[in-house]
Amino acid sequence: MVMTTLTIQDVLSFGCYKSSSKKVDRDAVLPFIILPLLLLVATLSRTITIIVMIFIGMGALYVHSRPRQKNRSPFFFSWTLSSGVWMFLIFEIAVLRLLEITQLENFAFLLLLICTCYFFYKMKAIADFELATGSSKGKEYSPVLTSDSQYCQICQIEVNDRFFHSIWWNCCVLRQNYLYFLTGQILAFATILFVTNLGLTTVCQPFLLYGVILLPENCEDVYFEFQLAISFVSCAYGLGYLCIITLVLIRQILVFIPKFIAPRWRKLVNVDV
């Protein structure tokens, strides 16, 4: 007969593992519950919409102001996914039911969305591969590091060719996947700009800017009907997301694009010399 003995430490470690796994699952699910509740509350009035959007913006600023090691959670990546999922569902279910969006406009939106998802998927896949087996693996895997290696406080590993860690995508952005990240951000900007303008010109009174380009003008009546209100609030949330992406792109232009092209520029100059 084989006897199995369990020490107190084994029991405690097993309990800690269960609780940590529950915490991870809870962190991943919460954004899919919190965000739609906030959007529903924001449909009550214009004042509440402004308060909710400010609350979300202040929450994002607080997250970025915290020490990096405290942002080690799938919550932020799930918030990104939930934002895309809920804005997509609201557009396809609420805005399209108003029958003012053409099939061509909806097709253009879906095409932009698919391209955006593809580039972000490639960004994460390359990051996972490089950190596990590629040339960017860190100190835990290889003692050989380049002069450009940095310690990621969130991944808790020293990484070669690292630019920064994106908590909203839950991965490091490296030289190997930076172009996918940058292209994904540009496509996300174009997608959100396009779909929010379609939504706002549908639920609000539009005016003709130039040619066939419409812009929203008067949105005072959107709170009298829930379908219009939820569509308007989703578009307002999309505009807030658009501001964040704009700041991200400005940072890329000022800091990381020069860092990305510097080695190639040096090689080109050396070849010319």
Side-chain angles (χ1 to χ4, degrees):
M1 182 176 66
V2 179
M3 296 183 63
T4 303
T5 60
L6 289 176
T7 64
I8 296 177
Q9 185 177 0
D10 294 333
V11 175
L12 290 177
S13 62
F14 178 72
C16 291
Y17 173 77
K18 288 183 66 178
S19 62
S20 64
S21 64
K22 288 181 180 179
K23 183 177 184 297
V24 170
D25 294 338
R26 185 169 61 249
D27 288 347
V29 171
L30 273 178
F32 289 92
I33 301 174
I34 295 175
L35 181 58
L37 290 178
L38 289 174
L39 295 180
L40 288 174
V41 171
T43 60
L44 296 178
S45 69
R46 179 182 301 177
T47 302
I48 297 180
T49 299
I50 296 173
I51 293 174
V52 169
M53 296 306 160
I54 292 176
F55 174 77
I56 295 175
M58 294 297 290
L61 291 175
Y62 168 72
V63 167
H64 279 280
S65 66
R66 298 196 314 171
R68 288 290 180 180
Q69 60 270 20
K70 292 188 177 181
N71 292 334
R72 199 178 302 119
S73 169
F75 178 87
F76 311 107
F77 177 54
S78 292
W79 187 276
T80 302
L81 293 181
S82 65
S83 298
V85 168
W86 285 115
M87 285 193 291
F88 171 78
L89 291 177
I90 291 173
F91 179 80
E92 292 294 326
I93 296 175
V95 179
L96 286 185
R97 286 183 61 186
L98 298 173
L99 302 178
E100 294 189 21
I101 305 295
T102 66
Q103 292 184 354
L104 181 61
E105 289 171 333
N106 189 40
F107 174 77
F109 161 63
L110 293 176
L111 183 62
L112 283 171
L113 181 63
I114 292 172
C115 292
T116 303
C117 293
Y118 169 78
F119 278 96
F120 281 128
Y121 166 77
K122 289 290 292 183
M123 174 199 70
K124 283 187 63 65
I126 292 175
D128 293 340
F129 174 79
E130 289 293 334
L131 290 179
T133 60
S135 60
S136 295
K137 56 189 177 182
K139 197 171 187 178
E140 183 179 341
Y141 303 95
S142 171
V144 181
L145 295 172
T146 68
S147 59
D148 196 30
S149 64
Q150 297 181 15
Y151 182 78
C152 179
Q153 295 179 344
I154 299 177
C155 295
Q156 293 184 320
I157 189 174
E158 198 160 0
V159 183
N160 294 331
D161 294 323
R162 174 183 176 271
F163 285 1
F164 56 90
H165 185 99
S166 174
I167 62 173
W168 302 106
W169 290 104
N170 196 27
C171 71
C172 277
V173 177
L174 318 165
R175 183 172 298 278
Q176 290 82 352
N177 67 346
Y178 179 72
L179 284 180
Y180 287 102
F181 170 81
L182 182 62
T183 307
Q185 292 291 345
I186 294 172
L187 287 172
F189 180 90
T191 304
I192 297 176
L193 179 64
F194 181 68
V195 74
T196 52
N197 187 58
L198 284 179
L200 289 175
T201 52
T202 299
V203 301
C204 304
Q205 296 179 8
F207 73 95
L208 190 63
L209 178 65
Y210 178 79
V212 295
I213 301 176
L214 296 175
L215 289 178
E217 183 177 18
N218 185 2
C219 302
E220 293 181 355
D221 300 331
V222 295
Y223 293 100
F224 293 113
E225 185 179 343
F226 175 75
Q227 184 178 353
L228 298 178
I230 192 64
S231 301
F232 174 78
V233 167
S234 176
C235 291
Y237 179 74
L239 291 178
Y241 228 100
L242 203 62
C243 295
I244 300 298
I245 296 178
T246 301
L247 295 177
V248 170
L249 290 176
I250 292 174
R251 188 185 179 208
Q252 304 312 305
I253 294 172
L254 297 178
V255 179
F256 294 107
I257 291 180
K259 182 178 178 180
F260 179 77
I261 65 176
R264 300 185 181 185
W265 176 254
R266 284 195 296 265
K267 289 181 181 179
L268 182 61
V269 171
N270 291 335
V271 170
D272 291 340
V273 173

